[in-house]
Amino acid sequence: MAKKLVRALGALCLTPLAPALLSAELPDYQISSDWFTEGSEHLKERASLSERGKTAKNVILFVGDGMGISTLTAARILEGQLRGEPGEENYLAFERFPYSALIKAYNTNQQTPDSAGTMTAMMTGVKTRAGVINIDGGAQRADCTGSAGKELHTFLELMESRGRSTGIVSTARLTHATPAATYARSPERGWEYSAEGPCVDIATQMVESEYGDGIDVMLGGGRRSFTPTSAEGRRKDGRDLTGEWLRRYQGQQNALYVQTGSELAAVDFSSTEKLLGLFTSSHMSYHADRTASGRDEPSIAEMTVAAIDLLQKNSNGYFLMVESGRIDHAHHAGNAYNALHDTLAFSNAVKTALDKVDLNRTLVLVTADHSHVMTIAGYPTRGNPILGKVVGNDSSGAAESQVDTAADGKPYTTLVYANGLGYAELGDNTDADGRYSLAADNGRKDLSGVNTVASGYHQEALVPLSAESHAGEDISLHAIGAGAELVQGSLEQSVVFHLMAGATALSVTEE
């Protein structure tokens, strides 16, 4: 059994110039958890049934936040249609991976999960409560004192403390739930730049990571969590964590901080050991909005390439987590256009990564943390625009007819949401977040004169909510490369940790 942690959550406080010497062996209570034990036994069973291939030196975990099965289906059709094809026969870059599985995504206290609990399961092998990051489910949300002694440790920390390089990429804030779950411990996912009691905020934990020599590359949004209010940030403690991070490595490693896509493109990776990129104050732009406006932000594919260029310099190997966080945000706004276009950008990032890695030594996993309540319904003809209104066939099914109408006499779209803010027509405004500035508008609308394919169209919703919700059905996991044969069947989400540890033959106890 592993030794217990040297420090509790409330004592996580490494000064920028202090050496990072902690080893991330897992505590007894993490290893003895029923979730952890079940996952470990599953891995042993699966390994005994397969002919083990090469051990993975590197692991890349791609997470499409909110990228459920219906999102994959609709995005695949859209990609084909953008090429002038019917669309249904298309495959996204990762959908032809040789191994796949269904993942049961739920939290210990919720049937429909949130990202903090689901990503904790993937990174630690232990399921936990919604809203809680890497704290065992026995602790209550936002209870700093009660979380002491229940901290969980992550696959990233294990890799870092075993001499591997590590990185995180996200189109969301780097302190948001999914990326935060790779490195932080917090009983409240909202403590991104401040925390209660002796707990340490998530941004501080990121730049002061005590495992190995700290995270090697961090690229995404969320600058406001690292800078003081005097510099248009959110930190009331006056700290500039970007400056502290640079000073941490001064005289030891060449650390570089960048804030634009142009600066990232100019990085000389041959002389850079540590890289921090914070490209926006909050979340990064939706892919369609970034390209339409010409904003100087890197794409998710460009960030992925940059991260791999830096991480692959370590001959011992690396772990990289890449999240497309804004798929989730577009769904919450009820805007399928941006959710699907961000999914396509995510698929392109996977393809770009595959072109750069050696699959004999690298395991590539592509999954989601949870699904959303977008549905694909009606009986549209094959090749009908996936974002459009339903066009059916004549009674014989032999020829296309006119736009189909529902029992109320109004046309309807193929894609709709089971709940959320409902209908909005913002024309060519690609900023899906603009929906939140308008009042909810649920119920059926007459879409006869509405361009539902436009980027600013927000689908109708059945149940009125302040935002569209997550869904509780299974999500998919796709795998290729060294150790990918372990990915088969229907799995608990916490098994993902064991798949990564098993593929790399990584020891979870002190070496």
Side-chain angles (χ1 to χ4, degrees):
M1 282 296 180
K3 294 181 179 180
K4 293 200 172 181
L5 293 173
V6 177
R7 300 187 181 193
L9 177 64
L12 286 173
C13 184
L14 177 70
T15 60
L17 298 180
L21 300 175
L22 290 189
S23 179
E25 64 270 12
L26 304 186
D28 291 342
Y29 55 79
Q30 184 168 348
I31 292 177
S32 61
S33 161
D34 289 342
W35 301 112
F36 197 95
T37 301
E38 179 183 347
S40 180
E41 290 302 317
H42 172 86
L43 183 70
K44 291 178 183 178
E45 178 184 356
R46 179 56 57 190
S48 68
L49 295 175
S50 65
E51 296 182 7
R52 286 301 308 275
K54 299 180 176 64
T55 299
K57 183 172 68 171
N58 317 306
V59 175
I60 305 179
L61 175 63
F62 284 93
V63 180
D65 198 315
M67 191 182 68
I69 300 297
S70 63
T71 302
L72 289 179
T73 304
R76 127 180 17 124
I77 293 172
L78 176 62
E79 184 177 58
Q81 292 179 346
L82 291 173
R83 292 197 301 262
E85 302 164 0
E88 293 85 1
E89 74 290 344
N90 184 50
Y91 290 89
L92 297 176
F94 49 87
E95 289 187 303
R96 287 193 173 184
F97 282 9
Y99 297 95
S100 61
L102 288 176
I103 300 296
K104 298 162 63 179
Y106 58 92
N107 300 141
T108 58
N109 65 330
Q110 287 188 184
Q111 195 170 69
T112 297
D114 98 314
S115 299
T118 53
M119 193 62 176
T120 290
M122 288 191 276
M123 292 305 300
T124 69
V126 177
K127 291 202 176 194
T128 191
R129 292 175 177 270
V132 171
I133 296 174
N134 296 329
I135 303 292
D136 184 80
Q140 296 299 311
R141 182 171 180 175
D143 180 3
C144 180
T145 302
S147 65
K150 298 181 176 65
E151 304 88 350
L152 304 171
H153 287 259
T154 72
F155 184 75
L156 180 146
E157 292 167 336
L158 286 169
M159 290 285 276
E160 184 65 44
S161 65
R162 303 303 190 254
R164 316 283 180 98
S165 291
T166 58
I168 51 176
V169 166
S170 179
T171 56
R173 297 190 296 267
L174 290 179
T175 51
H176 214 234
T178 300
T182 65
Y183 62 83
R185 276 162 289 282
S186 177
E188 173 49 61
R189 59 175 288 175
W191 291 351
E192 295 185 49
Y193 49 85
S194 63
E196 295 180 5
C199 283
V200 178
D201 66 84
I202 294 168
T204 297
Q205 291 187 55
M206 190 185 91
V207 300
E208 294 184 351
S209 175
E210 297 178 285
Y211 299 94
D213 61 355
I215 307 170
D216 297 280
V217 57
M218 301 161 282
L219 303 174
R223 189 185 307 119
R224 70 187 193 184
S225 294
F226 299 85
T227 54
T229 55
S230 60
E232 300 183 347
R234 292 287 181 89
R235 302 195 66 86
K236 295 182 180 179
D237 58 10
R239 296 176 66 182
D240 176 5
L241 296 183
T242 60
E244 292 183 19
W245 179 81
L246 288 169
R247 290 192 294 275
R248 171 179 179 174
Y249 297 104
Q250 189 172 7
Q252 302 175 37
Q253 298 184 67
N254 186 19
L256 185 62
Y257 170 48
V258 296
Q259 300 183 62
T260 67
S262 299
E263 291 176 345
L264 180 64
V267 172
D268 180 1
F269 290 99
S270 66
S271 60
T272 302
E273 284 77 46
K274 290 285 188 291
L275 179 61
L276 171 62
L278 297 172
F279 304 106
T280 52
S281 176
S282 185
H283 303 304
M284 295 181 68
S285 300
Y286 291 106
H287 177 72
D289 197 33
R290 180 186 64 83
T291 54
S293 64
R295 296 175 184 173
D296 195 2
E297 301 174 30
S299 68
I300 187 171
E302 290 166 340
M303 290 191 291
T304 299
V305 168
I308 294 174
D309 283 343
L310 188 146
L311 295 173
Q312 67 184 2
K313 293 167 60 177
N314 187 342
S315 60
N316 292 323
Y318 62 83
F319 169 68
L320 172 63
M321 192 287 296
V322 179
E323 183 212 17
S324 180
R326 307 235 62 197
I327 298 171
D328 175 77
H329 301 159
H331 276 318
H332 280 309
N335 178 237
Y337 181 97
N338 274 300
L340 301 188
H341 278 271
D342 268 45
T343 301
L344 298 186
F346 176 72
S347 177
N348 186 52
V350 176
K351 180 180 183 298
T352 302
L354 293 177
D355 292 338
K356 292 188 68 66
V357 302
D358 177 6
L359 291 176
N360 290 315
R361 302 305 304 275
T362 305
L363 172 64
V364 178
L365 299 174
V366 182
T367 189
D369 47 357
H370 54 73
S371 184
H372 275 271
V373 298
M374 184 189 77
T375 63
I376 306 172
Y379 296 100
T381 59
R382 183 182 175 191
N384 194 65
I386 191 64
L387 291 167
K389 300 162 197 168
V390 172
V391 173
N393 294 315
D394 64 15
S395 58
S396 67
E400 293 184 6
S401 61
Q402 60 186 7
V403 173
D404 197 11
T405 56
D408 58 8
K410 300 174 183 177
Y412 59 97
T413 55
T414 303
L415 303 181
V416 295
Y417 287 94
N419 60 43
L421 286 161
Y423 168 86
E425 170 46 31
L426 307 181
D428 293 326
N429 179 8
T430 58
D431 183 5
D433 297 334
R435 179 68 183 89
Y436 292 108
S437 64
L438 304 175
D441 193 1
N442 292 91
R444 291 283 287 132
K445 307 296 176 184
D446 186 354
L447 304 178
S448 299
V450 177
N451 180 14
T452 64
V453 179
S455 59
Y457 178 72
H458 295 244
Q459 279 72 16
E460 295 172 300
L462 174 62
V463 178
L465 292 179
S466 59
E468 181 266 0
S469 77
H470 297 169
E473 73 267 13
D474 295 354
I475 46 88
S476 59
L477 172 64
H478 308 264
I480 193 171
E485 70 277 0
L486 299 173
V487 178
Q488 300 179 52
S490 182
L491 310 174
E492 293 286 358
Q493 198 162 38
S494 45
V495 174
V496 174
F497 170 93
H498 297 279
L499 297 174
M500 296 188 294
T504 56
L506 190 72
S507 171
V508 299
T509 58
E510 188 174 18
E511 295 183 329

